[in-house]
Amino acid sequence: SWNVLLSFPGFVALIQLLFLPFFPESPPYLLLQKGDKDGCLKAMKQLWGERNYHTEFADMMKEKAVTKGTKILSVPEVLKEPSVSRQLSTLLLLLLSLQLCGLSATANLQENMIPYISLGVAVSEIISTIFCSSIIDRFGRRLLLWGGYLLMALILLLLETSLLLSDQFLWMPYCSVVLIFLFIIAYGIGP
């Protein structure tokens, strides 16, 4: 029944889709994209409750004034835009590096454990997403990038050590799996 375990992210997405109609649109989206001031204020009230959020609204109005006249690009236009080609290349490289690195194949475990490792990878990605979204405003992107890269380097060093010792200790492949999960969490929090 490993296929049921691997479909867990699909169940989570389905639950999100079911509850999505009950939530308002994002206030910045309503104000900046749609130009709906009343809808923005109503969404802020619904999301944040009865409090004074005029400072946030004023900040969004300033952002709207700054971005006035700026054309919103479609995905194909962004891909063709030369000013963002470096950023897109870097992002693509980072995403492919995790997908193609073969970390889960390095643990030297039996084939029947692979579905559980795949499930663990998915859970690690969920954990990193939740953790990163809760701390990014507090620490900033720069610190998370630096910390993520340092953690990834340390974890890869420990992973290499555990792989070298995997023939001497029976429990060492499981240590490698835990290090792989930690690497994915560090990757999700950082880069």
Side-chain angles (χ1 to χ4, degrees):
S1 62
W2 64 269
N3 51 353
V4 175
L5 292 174
L6 286 178
S7 63
F8 180 73
F11 294 130
V12 174
L14 180 63
I15 291 170
Q16 289 175 344
L17 282 175
L18 292 175
F19 284 104
L20 190 61
F22 300 106
F23 291 99
E25 288 285 349
S26 166
Y29 171 77
L30 289 171
L31 183 65
L32 301 174
Q33 304 296 325
K34 298 288 186 180
D36 184 7
K37 290 180 184 178
D38 294 331
C40 175
L41 290 170
K42 183 180 174 187
M44 290 172 112
K45 187 176 183 180
Q46 187 176 355
L47 290 171
W48 298 337
E50 297 290 334
R51 68 177 185 98
N52 187 0
Y53 38 78
H54 297 292
T55 305
E56 291 88 356
F57 186 76
D59 289 342
M60 283 190 271
M61 289 299 290
K62 288 178 190 174
E63 184 179 346
K64 183 177 180 176
V66 168
T67 60
K68 188 176 183 178
T70 303
K71 182 184 175 210
I72 298 173
L73 300 175
S74 66
V75 174
E77 290 172 335
V78 169
L79 294 173
K80 294 176 185 174
E81 179 64 37
S83 64
V84 295
S85 63
R86 280 189 176 163
Q87 292 90 337
L88 286 174
S89 300
T90 304
L91 179 63
L92 183 63
L93 181 67
L94 285 172
L95 291 173
L96 287 175
S97 67
L98 184 60
Q99 297 301 319
L100 301 175
C101 69
L103 275 175
S104 56
T106 62
N108 295 331
L109 289 172
Q110 298 88 9
E111 191 172 327
N112 64 348
M113 296 297 290
I114 291 174
Y116 300 106
I117 294 172
S118 298
L119 178 66
V121 167
V123 170
S124 299
E125 289 174 350
I126 291 170
I127 289 170
S128 66
T129 301
I130 292 169
F131 189 67
C132 182
S133 63
S134 66
I135 65 169
I136 194 166
D137 289 335
R138 181 178 297 160
F139 295 109
R141 287 184 176 96
R142 175 175 282 176
L143 182 63
L144 290 181
L145 279 172
W146 279 99
Y149 281 126
L150 287 173
L151 272 173
M152 287 167 56
L154 176 66
I155 291 168
L156 285 176
L157 181 71
L158 292 172
L159 181 61
E160 180 66 26
T161 305
S162 73
L163 290 174
L164 290 173
L165 297 174
S166 66
D167 293 335
Q168 296 175 2
F169 301 103
L170 292 175
W171 52 269
M172 197 55 77
Y174 298 102
C175 182
S176 299
V177 170
V178 170
L179 289 169
I180 290 169
F181 295 159
L182 289 175
F183 179 85
I184 292 168
I185 291 171
Y187 180 87
I189 291 171

